[in-house]
Amino acid sequence: MLLLIVMVNSCYVPSNLRTVVFSSVNNNVCKRLDGDIVLYAIFVDSKFTNPWSKYDIETTLDSIRVATEWIEQKALEDSVDVHIQVAYHKTLQGRVPIKNDFSKKTLSGTLYKKPLWSGVRDIYKWADKIAKEAGLSMPRDTSPITNIKNDLKNRERLIARLRDHYQTDHVALMYFINNYYSDEISATFDISNDNNVEFSIVSFKNPSVIAHEFLHLFGAYDLYLTQYDVKKRDKKKKDKLMEMFPNEVMAFAHRNLSSLNISDFTKYLIGWKKEMPVEYQRLLLKKGYFTAKY
Ligand SMILES: [Zn+2]
């Protein structure tokens, strides 16, 4: 079974008594989905995933391009200007994958270890170690106008360097693992806070899954039942959302991408619509409360 999750640290920030600001828009590194964006992919080998072959890397890059072209096309249909450049880590010698093992064999095994925070901490360490190695392959920062040179020691510093190198604020950092467990997950971290930079770990080369996780980085929420929807009320809401959006990429990422679309609900969260339609607000907020206009 394909399972996709997102770690959301805070959902809403009340700006006044009746207006609710979603913390996913204009937040952190990815902010809103427009303008020039760099999707920076890092291919990671580990003991309990398949090693990345040349063919696997090339076909996954093809899938990434299918996903980004689909998003650009959807943006165009909404008169939003989006250009996504796909870049990926490789050493000066041309080697692409970076090797790093998960502390508990797999992504899901590590993420769900108890207590939960220790699994997330292990994933951060895993991602930082890889980011540090990826940073070594970046051209040195030789700018004469800076004082202290960028010490590429973690993913936050890698993103700072990538912003510099590609001359854009919008950098989407995505780690790719070559998974062979059919029930493994893909995950996106920290879309709703400013404390840690957001990033995704993608387990499958399916363009729909890549588009789904990419949209998470820019603020989209899961519109299907996840293991975090434990309350009856939350389950009911998700059932309703899946019924309302029968072709939504944030709900049905296991389907063929060409059969999917992006709903107005998600468009609001990624910054393509200034207002959330009233009928959707009622699914998220109590009566008498309204979503902010951006
Ligand atoms: Zn998801």
Side-chain angles (χ1 to χ4, degrees):
M1 189 183 77
L2 171 69
L3 194 61
L4 302 142
I5 69 152
V6 57
M7 307 299 293
V8 180
N9 292 36
S10 60
C11 284
Y12 320 119
V13 181
S15 63
N16 64 38
L17 282 181
R18 290 187 170 270
T19 306
V20 176
V21 177
F22 279 72
S23 50
S24 62
V25 179
N26 287 339
N27 187 37
N28 220 339
V29 175
C30 290
K31 304 194 191 303
R32 63 173 56 224
L33 183 45
D34 65 7
D36 291 322
I37 295 160
V38 172
L39 185 161
Y40 190 75
I42 305 180
F43 293 86
V44 185
D45 275 337
S46 78
K47 213 186 213 169
F48 293 92
T49 52
N50 275 322
W52 282 106
S53 66
K54 185 172 180 283
Y55 175 78
D56 288 334
I57 291 167
E58 283 170 359
T59 50
T60 303
L61 285 169
D62 285 345
S63 288
I64 295 172
R65 288 185 190 108
V66 169
T68 54
E69 281 167 18
W70 180 82
I71 290 168
E72 285 175 340
Q73 181 56 36
K74 293 289 166 204
L76 194 64
E77 289 166 15
D78 258 278
S79 307
V80 180
D81 204 18
V82 173
H83 302 282
I84 307 168
Q85 182 182 349
V86 178
Y88 59 98
H89 159 78
K90 67 175 170 190
T91 64
L92 293 173
Q93 294 75 34
R95 195 179 302 277
V96 173
I98 290 178
K99 171 105 173 48
N100 197 15
D101 294 337
F102 290 108
S103 66
K104 295 284 178 189
K105 296 184 181 175
T106 60
L107 169 60
S108 52
T110 306
L111 193 56
Y112 299 141
K113 87 177 217 207
K114 298 278 179 8
L116 189 64
W117 60 263
S118 72
V120 176
R121 183 200 56 195
D122 284 5
I123 297 287
Y124 285 166
K125 275 193 200 167
W126 177 88
D128 275 344
K129 192 172 173 222
I130 294 162
K132 186 176 178 179
E133 194 172 329
L136 294 173
S137 67
M138 296 289 299
R140 279 185 170 278
D141 177 6
T142 52
S143 169
I145 65 164
T146 56
N147 217 354
I148 299 169
K149 298 301 170 207
N150 188 350
D151 177 16
L152 288 157
K153 62 185 180 193
N154 56 28
R155 55 190 195 283
E156 188 264 329
R157 290 289 83 206
L158 173 66
I159 285 177
R161 188 74 193 98
L162 289 167
R163 278 172 155 176
D164 234 21
H165 185 70
Y166 291 101
Q167 293 287 296
T168 177
D169 267 351
H170 303 304
V171 177
L173 179 60
M174 302 185 90
Y175 297 81
F176 286 82
I177 52 176
N178 199 11
N179 187 62
Y180 51 60
Y181 295 107
S182 59
D183 60 350
E184 184 54 294
I185 57 170
S186 294
T188 295
F189 298 81
D190 296 310
I191 66 163
S192 298
N193 74 69
D194 270 330
N195 305 326
N196 293 297
V197 296
E198 60 271 63
F199 65 101
S200 297
I201 305 174
V202 181
S203 290
F204 304 96
K205 59 178 81 169
N206 175 351
S208 307
V209 175
I210 296 167
H212 177 109
E213 297 302 327
F214 183 86
L215 290 169
H216 268 320
L217 287 170
F218 289 87
Y221 287 3
D222 277 321
L223 300 182
Y224 68 96
L225 270 175
T226 72
Q227 65 271 45
Y228 297 108
D229 299 308
V230 283
K231 289 182 187 160
K232 210 174 161 188
R233 191 186 56 196
D234 296 335
K235 285 182 180 168
K236 221 173 137 188
K237 269 184 193 171
K238 286 289 178 71
D239 281 343
K240 182 84 183 156
L241 284 164
M242 288 171 85
E243 213 180 284
M244 287 175 90
F245 308 122
N247 302 312
E248 158 76 55
V249 67
M250 298 314 293
F252 304 100
H254 55 283
R255 293 191 195 155
N256 193 304
L257 191 57
S258 60
S259 70
L260 297 171
N261 58 34
I262 301 172
S263 67
D264 283 353
F265 183 95
T266 297
K267 283 175 188 171
Y268 172 80
L269 294 172
I270 60 177
W272 288 5
K273 293 261 182 241
K274 286 189 189 317
E275 292 178 48
M276 175 76 91
V278 179
E279 65 267 34
Y280 305 158
Q281 294 188 28
R282 295 284 69 83
L283 288 165
L284 288 166
L285 304 170
K286 283 184 197 162
K287 216 175 168 189
Y289 286 81
F290 304 93
T291 52
K293 288 181 191 175
Y294 294 115

